[in-house]
Amino acid sequence: MQLHFKLILLAQPDKKNIVIFASGSGSNAQRLLEHFEHHPGIRVAALFSNNPNAYALKRAETYQVPALLFNRDTFYNSDKVLEQVKSFNPDLIVLAGFLWLVPAYLLQAFPNKIINIHPALLPKYGGKGMHGQHVHAAVLAAGEPESGITIHSIDEEYDKGEFILQKRCPVLPTDTPEDLAARVLQLEHKYLPLVVERLLSEQEHPKNLR
Ligand code: GRF
């Protein structure tokens, strides 16, 4: 009986690993931590941050997920972060409110495996400095009738790369940037875990083999 049990365990494939990069509050990271906490095939393996005050670090610790901090010099001028990320064997790296440009060495080490979530409908309202309330203030200032989210793969430039998913929401005439941010964040929290799950299951069963 015991032997039978062991064989079943050995037959289970190891889980897919998500590595999160986050610079701030980490509410999107929290959604990933929640969604995959008891998932049979996918786990959040680690969370990396450039910000010692990022609440995202605490969220990871609450879920007993390793939380790693790095500084600018280590990130851009050494291979320490690369080695640490590699040690978690990531199948997908998710930038969830990560504010620094990802260096080329990470892109090369994980081709097509790094995605970002942006709180607007790219290609508008993206690029350097377009984060947090700056994005929503710009959308309101332009009088846009709608905003939304873009989940996309990343390349060497801020907020570029192939779109994976866009979802829209209305912009109301009475909106403050905070109102709009809250509406957009609801979309982020709903769709980010679903997209991550879909991408990882497509890795398992590549579309062209179906
Ligand atoms: C989100 O709006 C995300 O789209 C953007 O930064 C914000 C991060 O929020 N990239 P949080 O830290 O996940 O709460």
Side-chain angles (χ1 to χ4, degrees), residues 131-190:
H131 58 84
Q133 301 297 339
H134 300 293
V135 178
H136 305 299
V139 169
L140 291 175
E144 296 283 359
E146 57 181 11
S147 188
I149 62 169
T150 306
I151 300 174
H152 61 100
S153 62
I154 66 152
D155 59 21
E156 291 83 355
E157 291 178 76
Y158 280 107
D159 299 326
K160 294 283 171 66
E162 202 178 309
F163 293 175
I164 298 164
L165 178 97
Q166 287 195 308
K167 287 286 169 183
R168 292 161 191 276
C169 63
V171 176
L172 305 183
T174 53
D175 273 349
T176 63
E178 291 76 20
D179 295 332
L180 183 54
R183 197 172 306 119
V184 169
L185 205 56
Q186 283 186 355
L187 291 177
E188 297 186 48
H189 291 171
K190 177 171 179 190

Side-chain angles (χ1 to χ4, degrees), residues 1 17 44 68 106 181 190:
M1 185 63 190
N17 293 310
V44 176
L68 294 96
L106 267 180
K190 177 171 179 190

Side-chain angles (χ1 to χ4, degrees), residues 17-51:
N17 293 310
I18 302 164
V19 165
I20 301 173
F21 277 67
S23 299
S25 158
S27 66
N28 281 292
Q30 168 90 27
R31 287 289 298 118
L32 295 173
L33 289 159
E34 284 165 7
H35 186 86
F36 294 108
E37 186 182 11
H38 302 297
H39 194 284
I42 300 170
R43 70 164 77 88
V44 176
L47 182 144
F48 284 72
S49 184
N50 60 313
N51 176 7

Side-chain angles (χ1 to χ4, degrees), residues 41-187:
I42 300 170
R43 70 164 77 88
V44 176
L47 182 144
F48 284 72
S49 184
N50 60 313
N51 176 7
N53 300 316
Y55 191 59
L57 290 164
K58 292 211 169 47
R59 296 187 197 261
E61 283 163 7
T62 302
Y63 283 79
Q64 271 120 45
V65 165
L68 294 96
L69 184 65
F70 57 83
N71 62 29
R72 188 172 282 280
D73 189 44
T74 309
F75 195 45
Y76 290 110
N77 301 318
S78 81
D79 57 7
K80 202 170 159 206
V81 175
L82 176 63
E83 293 311 315
Q84 285 176 326
V85 172
K86 274 185 181 167
S87 75
F88 293 104
N89 195 21
D91 297 285
L92 194 68
I93 297 175
V94 181
L95 311 183
F98 181 64
L99 297 184
W100 287 359
L101 194 63
V102 172
Y105 70 77
L106 267 180
L107 292 165
Q108 283 155 16
F110 302 104
N112 299 317
K113 285 191 176 173
I114 311 182
I115 66 167
N116 181 48
I117 181 158
H118 186 77
L121 297 170
L122 292 173
K124 284 169 134 184
Y125 310 108
K128 193 167 165 54
M130 272 294 172
H131 58 84
Q133 301 297 339
H134 300 293
V135 178
H136 305 299
V139 169
L140 291 175
E144 296 283 359
E146 57 181 11
S147 188
I149 62 169
T150 306
I151 300 174
H152 61 100
S153 62
I154 66 152
D155 59 21
E156 291 83 355
E157 291 178 76
Y158 280 107
D159 299 326
K160 294 283 171 66
E162 202 178 309
F163 293 175
I164 298 164
L165 178 97
Q166 287 195 308
K167 287 286 169 183
R168 292 161 191 276
C169 63
V171 176
L172 305 183
T174 53
D175 273 349
T176 63
E178 291 76 20
D179 295 332
L180 183 54
R183 197 172 306 119
V184 169
L185 205 56
Q186 283 186 355
L187 291 177

